[in-house]
Amino acid sequence: MPNTFAIRSTVLLALTAAAALFAPRAFAATETVLYAFQGGTDGASPYAAPTVDVRGNLYGTTLFGGAYGYGTVYELAHSKSGWSEKTLYSFTNGADGSWAYGGVILDSDGNIYGGTRSGGGPNGCGVVYELSPGRHGQWTQKVLYTFPDHEGCEGGPMGALTLDSKGNLYGGAVGNSPCGGFYYYGVVFELRRTKGGWKEQDLHDFCGHDGDGPDYGQLVFDPLGNLYGTSGFGGGDGRGVVFEMSPGAHHQWTFTPIHSFTQDEGGIPEGGLTLDTAGHFHSVESGGGPDGLGSAFELAPTGPGQWTDSTVHVFNGSPDGVNPFQNPAFDANGNLFGTTYNGGDIDSCYDDCGVIYELTPREGGGWSESVVYDFASQADGADGYAPIAGLVFDGKGHFFGTTVKGGAVTGLRACDCGVVYEFTP
């Protein structure tokens, strides 16, 4: 089982490889690899789920690889003949940034927005960037904001950004708060469009007791324009918080922690929130449960400023997985689907393969959990394994996701570099 704190504090994540031939397990659901990264100019180790555009094409990032070794932005174009991969941009670790943990978002004009944890300045504190399509399939990268330098920063966004109806961008940075002295906590920030360009504003600076900065999770709006997110650490017991940002006059926002996780709960909610039609939030704790193997939770509003937290499922390793990092996604029928980074029921997997799980609402209340796919079910892990990313639903019955390991593990260009996959329940 990986050390969750090491994932937060280091750039290189130590991953144990899965063993060789695994016995396949039968599921009604299907997982199909759309692209296996080769570790060259196409990139390696995608940490985030891809984004689906209106034509069904996929866009995402890799943490490593590319022309300079500092990660890429890629496109997977869909046609009748299948899927084709194209590297849209390779990060140089210069002013343009490096190490894109988070995914990307698209605006109505087809521009791509994202952030990097490092690069952008002498101390590598990360950037927010835009990629704009041009003629002949060429893309132009523009840095919209560079996070302030301080020694050993590496403090840019680790999650995808959020776009509002006016074209403004919102996100969380993991190490740029001025509150921390020798330790830099994170911030929630806004990049607002102005006539002179983009203006950055810190909406909240974390100081530890109120959280430690958003991690892999994307901020989410409710119908009233409030922003919600998670901090994987900090709070009363240092196990993370769920917070609300409420807009006010003159671009001022009010920060309210709505739940602080306890040692008994386990906590470490690194992956953001999923909002349902009833106004409830759903997500996971990578360190939840009595054994710290992870849990799924639901936050329900019970009155003005009042929320009730309930545990939906506690993961136990085998067969249902270990360490869920990202929030689950709804299908069209109100079922939740998500991934765990570890665990599963594959022999000789050394606890490092992961699963896709389904949470189904029970009549009368509560949820039932079932494993619908074990990663590394194919020989040599060709179907991928170790999914840090969650899933994204296309509205047509298909989910898409990524794994940081597996894929092209045999042949002339063997590379244990991860895959982009399609999952159909």
Side-chain angles (χ1 to χ4, degrees), residues 185-249:
Y185 298 95
V187 303
V188 177
F189 66 87
E190 175 191 37
L191 277 178
R192 189 169 65 251
R193 291 181 184 267
T194 67
K195 292 182 179 179
W198 293 81
K199 179 178 176 60
E200 192 273 348
Q201 178 182 348
D202 287 356
L203 305 184
H204 180 73
D205 296 317
F206 290 97
C207 290
H209 65 278
D210 55 351
D212 197 4
D215 296 279
Y216 301 107
Q218 184 179 27
L219 301 175
V220 59
F221 277 107
D222 71 6
L224 300 178
N226 303 303
L227 269 175
Y228 295 84
T230 61
S231 165
F233 300 90
D237 281 358
R239 309 295 290 183
V241 301
V242 177
F243 61 87
E244 175 187 8
M245 302 290 304
S246 302

Side-chain angles (χ1 to χ4, degrees), residues 16-413:
T16 50
L21 299 174
F22 301 110
R25 188 179 179 194
F27 291 108
T30 59
E31 189 257 19
T32 304
V33 172
L34 305 183
Y35 185 76
F37 290 95
Q38 304 293 312
T41 56
D42 62 332
S45 301
Y47 268 55
T51 294
V52 187
D53 73 5
V54 294
R55 296 180 297 277
N57 302 315
L58 303 177
Y59 298 83
T61 61
T62 67
L63 186 63
F64 305 117
Y68 308 97
Y70 293 100
T72 69
V73 179
Y74 67 85
E75 175 190 27
L76 278 178
H78 187 225
S79 66
K80 293 181 179 179
S81 59
W83 295 82
S84 58
E85 191 272 349
K86 178 182 178 182
T87 300
L88 303 184
Y89 189 77
S90 291
F91 295 98
T92 69
N93 195 33
D96 60 335
S98 60
W99 290 315
Y101 282 87
V104 297
I105 56 173
L106 282 74
D107 66 15
S108 58
D109 295 324
N111 300 304
I112 295 172
Y113 300 92
T116 69
R117 183 174 182 180
S118 300
N123 291 312
C125 295
V127 306
V128 174
Y129 62 87
E130 175 186 29
L131 280 175
S132 300
R135 302 178 63 181
H136 309 298
Q138 299 300 309
W139 291 73
T140 301
Q141 199 240 30
K142 178 182 179 182
V143 172
L144 305 183
Y145 181 72
T146 301
F147 289 94
D149 283 346
H150 55 78
E151 185 176 357
C153 173
E154 293 183 353
M158 291 180 66
L161 304 176
T162 300
L163 193 68
D164 72 8
S165 59
K166 298 179 181 178
N168 302 313
L169 296 169
Y170 301 83
V174 296
N176 276 282
S177 170
C179 178
F182 292 107
Y183 181 83
Y184 286 85
Y185 298 95
V187 303
V188 177
F189 66 87
E190 175 191 37
L191 277 178
R192 189 169 65 251
R193 291 181 184 267
T194 67
K195 292 182 179 179
W198 293 81
K199 179 178 176 60
E200 192 273 348
Q201 178 182 348
D202 287 356
L203 305 184
H204 180 73
D205 296 317
F206 290 97
C207 290
H209 65 278
D210 55 351
D212 197 4
D215 296 279
Y216 301 107
Q218 184 179 27
L219 301 175
V220 59
F221 277 107
D222 71 6
L224 300 178
N226 303 303
L227 269 175
Y228 295 84
T230 61
S231 165
F233 300 90
D237 281 358
R239 309 295 290 183
V241 301
V242 177
F243 61 87
E244 175 187 8
M245 302 290 304
S246 302
H250 308 297
H251 304 290
Q252 298 301 306
W253 293 70
T254 299
F255 173 90
T256 305
I258 62 176
H259 185 73
S260 183
F261 292 90
T262 66
Q263 293 285 348
D264 290 339
E265 290 174 305
I268 314 179
E270 299 187 277
L273 300 165
T274 300
L275 179 65
D276 68 16
T277 55
H280 298 192
F281 289 107
H282 304 264
S283 194
V284 292
E285 307 164 50
S286 63
D291 297 321
L293 302 181
S295 63
F297 69 90
E298 179 178 358
L299 273 176
T302 57
Q306 301 295 316
W307 297 79
T308 297
D309 171 70
S310 59
T311 299
V312 170
H313 178 71
V314 175
F315 293 92
N316 58 29
S318 179
D320 64 342
V322 179
N323 295 133
F325 281 106
Q326 280 286 1
N327 54 311
F330 278 106
D331 69 3
N333 299 315
N335 305 305
L336 284 165
F337 290 82
T339 62
T340 69
Y341 171 75
N342 286 334
D345 199 25
I346 296 295
D347 293 339
S348 303
C349 200
Y350 196 62
D351 199 28
D352 194 27
C353 287
V355 307
I356 298 176
Y357 64 87
E358 178 182 6
L359 292 170
T360 305
R362 292 195 297 258
E363 186 175 351
W367 298 76
S368 298
E369 190 268 355
S370 59
V371 174
V372 290
Y373 189 76
D374 275 308
F375 288 100
S377 292
Q378 297 180 17
D380 298 316
D383 55 332
Y385 60 95
I388 291 285
L391 297 165
V392 59
F393 185 59
D394 69 353
K396 300 177 182 179
H398 309 288
F399 289 92
F400 299 94
T402 64
T403 69
V404 297
K405 303 290 281 184
V409 294
T410 61
L412 295 177
R413 295 197 62 192

